[in-house]
Amino acid sequence: MKFFADTSDINEIKDLKEYGLLDGVTTNPSIIAKSGKEFIPLIKEICEITDGPVSAEVAATDYKTMRKEADVLRNIADNIAIKVPLTQDGLKVCKELSDEGTLVNVTLCFSSGQALLAAKAGAAFISPFIGRLDDICFQGLDLIADILIIYDNYPEYDTEVLVASIRNPMHIIESAKMGAHVMTAPPKVIKQLYNHPLTDKGLAAFVADWEKTGQSIL
Ligand code: G3P
């Protein structure tokens, strides 16, 4: 499973990279607003640090303006993935950019029918938002299962399932069990995967027992 960081925080991105946990980055207008930084220079900096795809989202919602914005964004770096909303106009932009060899991440997906449309438009990634479905009492993970079944039925679809709106480590584990290609999560949630009380307890016992030996490896 590829790990994307759902953040624009440069320090967090660098940190995940050092631990081998950074296969790409996703951003959205809310993440950029939270950063308080200039969008284009910030994305450029993230692209320089990140070896994999960096998703940068268009701001407009009409076809013509989205297309113009996408042309600006894809000139930032070779590893840009243009993020477009799952609307008719968004998928029109997706189809054109994909035909031209640009990676497109189709965002705000909440149904398997929408995911089918994104695959037909040639999206590199479909981003189903599972946390937001959980928030309204729908099983977000069920959507991942459905999309994977549909995509598996049609091997000609190259679209990767990028599980988004992840809120906890179980979202990552359950998505990985189903074979989702990519997940994007806040760095804090990714790091929660390290945690287990038995690891802490076991390590404390090993440290204490080693001290009793009075030995040193170095
Ligand atoms: O980047 C898209 C998605 O991951 C947003 O998540 O937590 O705002 O629902 P969230």
Side-chain angles (χ1 to χ4, degrees):
M1 177 182 244
K2 282 178 267 189
F3 276 27
F4 288 4
D6 203 21
T7 183
S8 65
D9 186 305
I10 298 293
N11 289 331
E12 287 182 334
I13 291 168
K14 284 183 179 166
D15 186 49
L16 288 171
K17 186 178 179 180
E18 281 175 19
Y19 289 92
L21 295 175
L22 187 76
D23 300 309
V25 172
T26 52
T27 65
N28 61 38
S30 304
I31 287 172
I32 298 299
K34 200 175 138 203
S35 78
K37 294 187 176 173
E38 278 292 309
F39 181 35
I40 291 183
L42 178 59
I43 293 294
K44 193 168 187 297
E45 192 178 357
I46 295 171
C47 285
E48 283 163 7
I49 300 165
T50 311
D51 296 325
V54 174
S55 291
E57 188 161 340
V58 295
T61 56
D62 66 287
Y63 161 74
K64 222 171 146 186
T65 321
M66 273 194 279
R67 174 67 223 219
K68 281 187 195 156
E69 289 176 344
D71 284 337
V72 171
L73 295 175
R74 68 176 169 171
N75 279 331
I76 295 175
D78 289 341
N79 55 336
I80 280 281
I82 304 297
K83 216 169 172 189
V84 298
L86 209 155
T87 60
Q88 219 171 347
D89 280 8
L91 291 186
K92 186 176 177 188
V93 175
C94 173
K95 166 94 178 86
E96 286 181 9
L97 296 177
S98 302
D99 284 349
E100 293 167 15
T102 297
L103 295 177
V104 181
N105 176 357
V106 178
T107 190
L108 291 167
C109 170
F110 293 96
S111 81
S112 47
Q114 290 179 319
L116 190 51
L117 292 174
K120 294 208 58 82
F125 305 105
I126 181 69
S127 289
F129 278 27
I130 63 171
R132 293 191 194 186
L133 280 171
D134 289 354
D135 289 346
I136 58 160
C137 294
F138 282 83
Q139 287 285 2
L141 284 164
D142 286 352
L143 174 59
I144 302 304
D146 286 348
I147 298 172
L148 286 168
I149 289 169
I150 291 170
Y151 283 7
D152 279 354
N153 284 341
Y154 301 96
E156 65 270 28
Y157 294 156
D158 293 327
T159 308
E160 295 192 355
V161 178
L162 194 174
V163 184
S165 186
I166 282 179
R167 302 278 161 77
N168 58 62
M170 286 311 290
H171 276 156
I172 302 174
I173 294 162
E174 292 302 320
S175 299
K177 279 164 67 179
M178 287 186 260
H181 310 85
V182 194
M183 71 84 200
T184 190
K188 194 180 111 195
V189 176
I190 295 176
K191 287 184 180 167
Q192 284 173 347
L193 289 169
Y194 282 113
N195 301 340
H196 199 289
L198 290 181
T199 304
D200 298 339
K201 194 179 166 199
L203 186 59
F206 287 157
V207 168
D209 288 342
W210 179 250
E211 275 174 12
K212 286 181 208 156
T213 71
Q215 299 179 50
S216 164
I217 296 171
L218 300 177

